[in-house]
Amino acid sequence: MKIEVWSDYVCPFCYIGKRRLEEALKETGIGEKAEIVFKAYELSSDSPMTSDETMQTVLAKKYGMGVEEAKQATDNIVVQAKSVGLEYDYDNVRPANTFNAHRLAKLAETEGVAGQMSERLLHAYFVDAERIGTDEVLLRIAEEAGVSLARAKEVLGSDEFSTDVKADIAEAAQIGVKGVPFFVINRKYAISGAQPTEAFADALKKVAEEEGI
């Protein structure tokens, strides 16, 4: 079973959705039969590589709300994250441009550690509140995920994998993805957003039954 996942490393619901998918794969016993392919998506391609603005300030500006209202929104996300065992540090999370992170994730895919790289990037951003738009942090994360440090440096010093990242984003637009996370199972069923674990489990079982998996 092939599960394609469009997500961005600064998307709080992408990490929550990833955990719920993982829970569903475990509950249904389909985990060992599933191939998960991570697809790039940029929520904000014009974000700076790093910034000292708080996410509450950024959200307030973006959605025309007060900072306190934005704080309530991020507090609600923190509660949702806790429901799947994730401790978000939203007070210290800062905006980041993720294009280079996606390029390194493509490198990780060629080295067979795409899953480890995606997990480390999401954890670094939301739990450790690290600056994943900076080369220094990205290189350390890549090495921790099992990516060749020499190759990671080569990629960051070039435009390698840029075409691959842009192709994922273009494909998302082509199939009508309006936001992430967005999951496509065997090119037959789509799940949009961080749905409850049960929704993932139901979809997985349905595909498995139909295709004799």
Side-chain angles (χ1 to χ4, degrees):
M1 184 181 296
K2 185 175 184 179
I3 304 171
E4 295 165 288
V5 185
W6 273 267
S7 63
D8 196 7
Y9 300 114
V10 294
C11 164
F13 298 107
C14 289
Y15 204 4
I16 295 168
K18 181 176 183 289
R19 277 291 182 273
R20 289 178 178 164
L21 171 64
E22 290 165 352
E23 287 176 354
L25 286 167
K26 186 176 181 180
E27 284 180 14
T28 58
I30 295 173
E32 292 182 2
K33 303 170 186 174
E35 175 197 1
I36 299 178
V37 179
F38 296 97
K39 299 276 196 172
Y41 192 92
E42 284 187 289
L43 284 177
S44 184
S45 60
D46 59 352
S47 285
M49 289 303 176
T50 188
S51 169
D52 288 325
E53 271 194 302
T54 67
M55 285 309 301
Q56 290 81 5
T57 303
V58 171
L59 291 171
K61 288 178 182 176
K62 184 174 182 179
Y63 295 108
M65 61 173 75
V67 174
E68 274 307 308
E69 190 179 352
K71 178 74 165 61
Q72 288 177 3
T74 56
D75 285 348
N76 288 337
I77 294 171
V78 168
V79 171
Q80 289 191 55
K82 282 183 179 179
S83 73
V84 290
L86 297 172
E87 296 287 338
Y88 282 9
D89 184 10
Y90 241 118
D91 287 341
N92 291 305
V93 168
R94 296 294 181 264
N97 188 293
T98 56
F99 192 76
N100 283 339
H102 283 299
R103 291 200 300 128
L104 285 186
K106 291 298 181 186
L107 168 63
E109 187 175 349
T110 69
E111 298 190 357
V113 290
Q116 294 92 316
M117 185 65 173
S118 288
E119 176 65 26
R120 278 296 299 121
L121 283 164
L122 287 163
H123 191 280
Y125 187 70
F126 286 108
V127 178
D128 299 331
E130 296 201 72
R131 306 292 183 110
I132 64 167
T134 65
D135 286 4
E136 178 186 3
V137 171
L138 284 174
L139 288 171
R140 189 175 72 330
I141 290 171
E143 190 172 24
E144 290 169 356
V147 176
S148 161
L149 182 58
R151 282 289 291 124
K153 288 179 178 177
E154 284 179 7
V155 169
L156 289 182
S158 69
D159 65 352
E160 196 174 353
F161 296 109
S162 293
T163 302
D164 303 77
V165 172
K166 291 174 182 176
D168 280 357
I169 295 168
E171 186 180 10
Q174 187 178 23
I175 65 175
V177 177
K178 303 296 184 185
V180 288
F182 194 86
F183 307 82
V184 177
I185 306 173
N186 275 13
R187 287 281 158 161
K188 291 179 71 176
Y189 292 95
I191 298 175
S192 179
Q195 299 292 328
T197 300
E198 295 75 21
F200 285 106
D202 288 345
L204 292 170
K205 286 186 282 191
K206 190 170 186 179
V207 174
E209 287 170 8
E210 287 180 0
E211 304 195 1
I213 297 172

